[in-house]
Amino acid sequence: MALGEFDLIARYFTREPRRAAVGVGDDCALLAPSPGMQLATSVDMLVEGRHFLPTAPPERIGHKALAVNLSDLAACGAKPLAFTLALALPRIDEAFLAGFSRGLFALADEHGCELIGGDTTQGPLNICIGVFGEVPPGEALLRGGARPGDDLYVSGTVGDARLALEVFRGSVAVGADAFEQVRRAMEVPQPRVALGLALRGVATSAIDVSDGLLGDLSHVLRRSRVGATVQVDAVPRSAVLAGQAPAMQRVCTLAGGDDYELLFTAPPERASAVADAARRSGLAVARIGRIEADSGLRLIDAAGQAVDNDFGSFDHFRL
């Protein structure tokens, strides 16, 4: 007998709740943060052909669908608790569902984040996840806290996901091992939850790099009512990306997107605390600029010369 909607939910997405009072299977889930904590919540939608390629393995699609949401919690300094999943499928494909749920739950288990509900329907492949976390009152990392004089940092390396996209487009060629490295960056991003938690009380603002470093930085500058200077050659990149032409490196690092690293600010006197947070989370962070009182975004190279800011960022309604 063919699998139906409720059969697939039971087979691939139902687990006993560990923390929630009520999970999958009722009209609503029941969830509360720990006493004295605030609830942090975010929603992200992934559409086939827009956020992931049709050739992406199902396990990687499941991983990425949750990873981009956990990245929002990381940017807020929130501890993951639970998530909901709304899934549209063109048809019931058990091989896809097995791989998708395996990748989804592997990451969920890694971060102690349980599935507590959702919805399924038939339609073009579309994945919408709502995620819930908790954070102590007054300790959430927000976009509006950057202050003049703050240092600007980014975690890990950026640009590999964009380089993978350029390889898929045929505009760049790399070797097989290099391609797998950058493809994993695009399809299996790692949410920086541990760093976000370690930056509570240290960073003054934060955002995850999803639409391009400069575009995401502009959100921080706008909300904080400040400006910044970015040293573009200081933005960390992988050895694979560093082997590309300088122009391609700058496009990928400054306007690439899909990196899911944390971009954050902190006062210079907290530099040692930033270094300690990076050490405790097992990540490298790099200082790439300074927050300034004058509005606007200025770019300079390693020699201090001005660089034209003609870099865009991802916009779902501007191709």
Side-chain angles (χ1 to χ4, degrees):
M1 184 178 296
L3 206 64
E5 175 184 1
F6 299 105
D7 300 315
L8 79 85
I9 293 171
R11 180 172 299 180
Y12 295 106
F13 299 110
T14 299
R15 289 176 159 189
E16 286 298 317
R18 298 188 306 272
R19 189 183 186 285
V22 176
V24 175
D26 223 301
D27 288 312
C28 290
L30 299 179
L31 177 72
S34 302
M37 302 288 270
Q38 289 182 321
L39 194 65
T41 183
S42 182
V43 176
D44 266 305
M45 183 185 300
L46 272 68
V47 178
E48 183 181 54
R50 175 64 93 179
H51 301 97
F52 59 90
L53 299 176
T55 54
E59 192 164 353
R60 292 187 174 189
I61 297 172
H63 172 102
K64 185 172 183 177
L66 182 58
V68 301
N69 284 271
L70 292 178
S71 185
D72 285 333
L73 292 183
C76 190
K79 178 184 176 182
L81 296 177
F83 68 101
T84 59
L85 167 67
L87 178 64
L89 297 165
R91 64 190 180 283
I92 293 179
D93 180 339
E94 291 204 61
F96 174 87
L97 287 165
F100 176 88
S101 60
R102 186 165 54 248
L104 180 81
F105 284 125
L107 185 64
D109 291 345
E110 181 181 338
H111 292 279
C113 192
E114 62 180 341
L115 177 62
I116 59 172
D119 192 22
T120 57
T121 191
Q122 186 175 30
L125 184 54
N126 184 303
I127 306 151
C128 186
I129 286 181
V131 72
F132 305 89
E134 63 182 15
V135 62
E139 293 189 24
L141 305 178
L142 302 174
R143 299 178 180 183
R147 297 292 178 263
D150 282 354
D151 289 326
L152 177 66
Y153 296 89
V154 70
S155 65
T157 61
V158 296
D160 276 0
R162 175 59 181 270
L163 182 58
L165 183 60
E166 296 301 328
V167 175
F168 275 115
R169 288 172 170 171
S171 59
V172 174
V174 298
D177 290 344
F179 176 54
E180 177 56 23
Q181 175 183 317
V182 297
R183 183 178 180 178
R184 281 192 63 83
M186 180 174 74
E187 295 179 343
V188 197
Q190 299 302 314
R192 304 310 191 184
V193 174
L195 178 61
L197 294 174
L199 287 172
R200 291 197 309 215
V202 176
T204 52
S205 70
I207 189 171
D208 68 328
V209 181
S210 57
D211 297 329
L213 189 147
L214 296 185
D216 289 319
L217 174 58
S218 70
H219 298 312
V220 173
L221 301 184
R222 189 175 303 114
R223 292 294 295 268
S224 298
R225 299 182 180 180
V226 292
T229 293
V230 174
Q231 210 278 69
V232 298
D233 296 325
V235 177
R237 65 210 69 187
S238 69
V240 174
L241 181 53
Q244 300 300 309
M248 178 58 69
Q249 291 185 48
R250 286 184 176 176
V251 167
C252 290
T253 55
L254 302 178
D258 246 8
D259 298 297
Y260 302 101
E261 297 292 348
L262 295 189
L263 182 69
F264 62 95
T265 58
E269 60 268 23
R270 296 182 188 169
S272 60
V274 169
D276 182 62
R279 179 190 58 77
R280 287 188 284 122
S281 60
L283 277 175
V285 300
R287 180 186 176 279
I288 63 169
R290 179 67 62 88
I291 300 298
E292 298 164 342
D294 293 338
S295 63
L297 178 56
R298 292 158 286 279
L299 308 180
I300 59 173
D301 62 18
Q305 298 299 307
V307 174
D308 290 338
N309 186 3
D310 53 3
F311 302 96
S313 62
F314 183 76
D315 186 315
H316 290 92
F317 295 99
R318 292 178 182 173
L319 299 179

